[in-house]
Amino acid sequence: MKSARLLEKYRKEVLPAMQKDYGRSNPHSLPRLEKICLNMGIGKAIDDSKILEEGVKIMSTIAGQAAVVTKARVSVSNFRLRQGYKIGCRVTLRSSTMWEFFDRLVATAIPRIRDFRGVSRKSFDKLGNYSLGIEEVTIFPEVDADRLVYPFGMDVTFVIKNSKGREESMKFLKMMGMPFAE
């Protein structure tokens, strides 16, 4: 199996640069990407199960591995939602699939967003993980926009290990090619 392009960049460029910047000789003490979690909430799945099936198929195509259907944990009467209803799907990417997805997201998908000015700098949690909302999955070249019945969106969460906070995570993602807004 060939190695992912961004993984090579991380090992050859980003890691040595971060070691020099932070003055740490141990590469395991530096921020690194642990996993990428993709989540798609499909509220219309309550009324039509075919929309859920299409969402799962699209998520699987984008991720490159099978998506898992998620169920409601609690009942919410205002949304006509009962506990156990199938309402979305998710995928957790690790190792080479994670790096391939990250590369496709940064190199091809994000530049296809109309009127794109950069991703938000405010979407970090206190541990340094970064979340990104994608309004339409049609930015991915794998998805045929003409065949979509329902406009799907998704959330992408980058789980960053050994980060000492937002600044380290932002610097790491910026070095990896994430286009942050100025």
Side-chain angles (χ1 to χ4, degrees):
M1 179 188 280
K2 72 178 185 104
S3 183
R5 185 179 68 90
L6 278 183
L7 179 58
E8 290 297 315
K9 179 179 179 179
Y10 173 70
R11 289 180 179 156
K12 290 189 167 87
E13 298 172 27
V14 176
L15 203 56
M18 285 193 310
Q19 282 179 319
K20 184 179 174 194
D21 289 350
Y22 295 127
R24 298 184 208 155
S25 60
N26 185 359
H28 298 293
S29 70
L30 296 167
R32 68 176 181 272
L33 199 54
E34 182 180 4
K35 63 185 174 182
I36 296 177
C37 301
L38 309 176
N39 180 42
M40 186 184 289
I42 308 169
K44 299 275 185 201
I46 296 170
D47 302 327
D48 189 4
S49 63
K50 291 189 192 261
I51 293 176
L52 178 67
E53 291 171 16
E54 185 181 358
V56 169
K57 191 165 57 173
I58 288 170
M59 175 75 86
S60 299
T61 303
I62 291 170
Q65 69 185 47
V68 176
V69 174
T70 56
K71 296 179 179 179
R73 286 187 236 155
V74 293
S75 299
V76 181
S77 62
N78 290 346
F79 298 126
R80 296 184 340 217
L81 180 67
R82 298 283 171 254
Q83 184 178 359
Y85 276 11
K86 297 177 181 179
I87 56 165
C89 58
R90 67 182 172 91
V91 173
T92 301
L93 303 172
R94 297 177 193 271
S95 66
S96 62
T97 8
M98 168 187 71
W99 289 105
E100 291 293 336
F101 175 79
F102 190 22
D103 193 13
R104 282 187 293 121
L105 180 71
V106 171
T108 57
I110 289 180
R112 292 178 67 175
I113 297 174
R114 191 177 307 134
D115 298 330
F116 180 68
R117 290 182 180 28
V119 295
S120 174
R121 296 172 164 266
K122 299 177 182 178
S123 299
F124 287 93
D125 64 9
K126 62 184 176 185
L127 299 174
N129 301 321
Y130 183 71
S131 295
L132 170 70
I134 296 174
E135 290 181 22
E136 287 190 22
V137 295
T138 55
I139 63 169
F140 290 97
E142 303 90 37
V143 179
D144 185 12
D146 299 331
R147 302 176 95 194
L148 280 183
V149 177
Y150 180 77
F152 294 102
M154 64 189 279
D155 300 315
V156 181
T157 302
F158 297 89
V159 179
I160 300 169
K161 194 172 185 181
N162 296 334
S163 174
K164 304 252 186 291
R166 298 171 189 188
E167 289 76 28
E168 276 192 16
S169 291
M170 183 182 292
K171 186 171 185 175
F172 164 70
L173 286 174
K174 197 170 208 165
M175 292 172 86
M176 292 302 297
M178 183 67 77
F180 286 105
E182 294 302 319

